[in-house]
Amino acid sequence: MPIDESRTFKPINIALLTVSDTRSLKEDTSGDILADRIAAKGHQLSHRALIRDEKSKIVEQLDQWINDPQVDAVITTGGTGLTGRDITPEALDAVKEKDIPGFGELFRWLSMKSIGTSTVQSRACAVVSRGTYIFALPGSNGAVKDGWDGILDTQLDSRHRPCNFVELMPRLLEK
C-alpha cells in the first residue's frame, strides 16, 4: 500500500522496552535496530529500558508508559517465545483493553518467509491500552526487522493509505 506524499507526516512518541534475562542495554542489538529505525523514520524515542522476564516488572513499566501522555506507542522486544520465562504476552494481557489480532497474524506470515515453520513458536502480539498502542516483537534481530519493516514502518506512518494506526490515535479513548 502506498504512502500518500501529499499528506503531512506526523511523528509519534515511542517507548522501547527490551525484555531479557541475558542481555544488558549495551548488548541489546535488537533494541538498537528498533531505536535506529524509529529515529530514521522521524519518530521520537521517548524512553528506552531493559527489564528481566518478570511479569510484575514488565506490567509496572508498561503502566508507567501507558499513563504518560507523551507516549503514543510502546514496542517491546523479547519474551514472546514458548519457554517458561517468556511472559511478555501475559504482561500485555494484564494491561490491555483490546487485542489487535491481525498484528500477530501478519507478523507470523511475514516471518514465515524468513524462518519458515519456526514462526509458529512466536507469540508476537499487539494490544491497545488506555489510548496507547503496545506491540510485542520477538527478541531476535531478524524478528524486529520483520516487525518494523513489514508492519510498523507503514502502520505508524500517518501518510499510509488506505489507513494507519496514527490516524486512529485521537479516537482510541472514545466511549
Side-chain angles (χ1 to χ4, degrees):
M1 291 285 126
I3 297 294
D4 183 348
E5 298 291 345
S6 70
R7 297 180 58 102
T8 302
F9 176 76
K10 298 176 184 170
I12 65 169
N13 296 313
I14 302 172
L16 177 56
L17 177 63
T18 298
V19 178
S20 178
D21 285 340
T22 60
R23 289 185 228 161
S24 68
L25 277 176
K26 207 184 323 183
E27 303 154 338
D28 182 20
T29 57
S30 293
D32 291 341
I33 289 167
L34 285 169
D36 290 346
R37 279 168 161 72
I38 289 166
K41 185 66 178 192
H43 298 299
Q44 299 299 314
L45 182 62
S46 59
H47 305 284
R48 184 171 177 185
L50 186 142
I51 294 179
R52 294 178 50 80
D53 294 87
E54 295 177 24
K55 183 179 173 184
S56 64
K57 298 289 186 190
I58 297 167
V59 168
E60 182 180 321
Q61 183 63 77
L62 291 174
D63 274 330
Q64 182 182 346
W65 287 343
I66 292 164
N67 291 329
D68 183 342
Q70 298 304 309
V71 175
D72 300 307
V74 176
I75 302 174
T76 72
T77 176
T80 62
L82 300 175
T83 72
R85 297 284 295 158
D86 290 323
I87 45 78
T88 301
E90 288 76 14
L92 268 63
D93 283 344
V95 300
K96 76 178 179 185
E97 292 173 341
K98 291 185 179 181
D99 287 304
I100 308 173
F103 179 85
E105 294 162 359
L106 180 54
F107 174 83
R108 282 178 283 282
W109 181 79
L110 292 167
S111 181
M112 176 76 175
K113 297 173 187 176
S114 302
I115 63 170
T117 60
S118 295
T119 193
V120 300
Q121 295 182 31
S122 169
R123 297 186 304 141
C125 58
V127 302
V128 177
S129 180
R130 297 172 296 214
T132 302
Y133 292 112
I134 307 171
F135 307 99
L137 297 172
S140 73
N141 290 352
V144 298
K145 290 175 185 175
D146 286 346
W148 180 270
D149 298 345
I151 307 171
L152 295 175
D153 179 61
T154 53
Q155 278 299 297
L156 296 178
D157 189 324
S158 57
R159 304 167 300 167
H160 183 262
R161 298 281 136 239
C163 56
N164 59 75
F165 287 134
V166 177
E167 66 190 2
L168 296 177
M169 286 178 176
R171 299 182 57 208
L172 292 176
L173 295 173
E174 287 179 346
K175 297 289 180 195

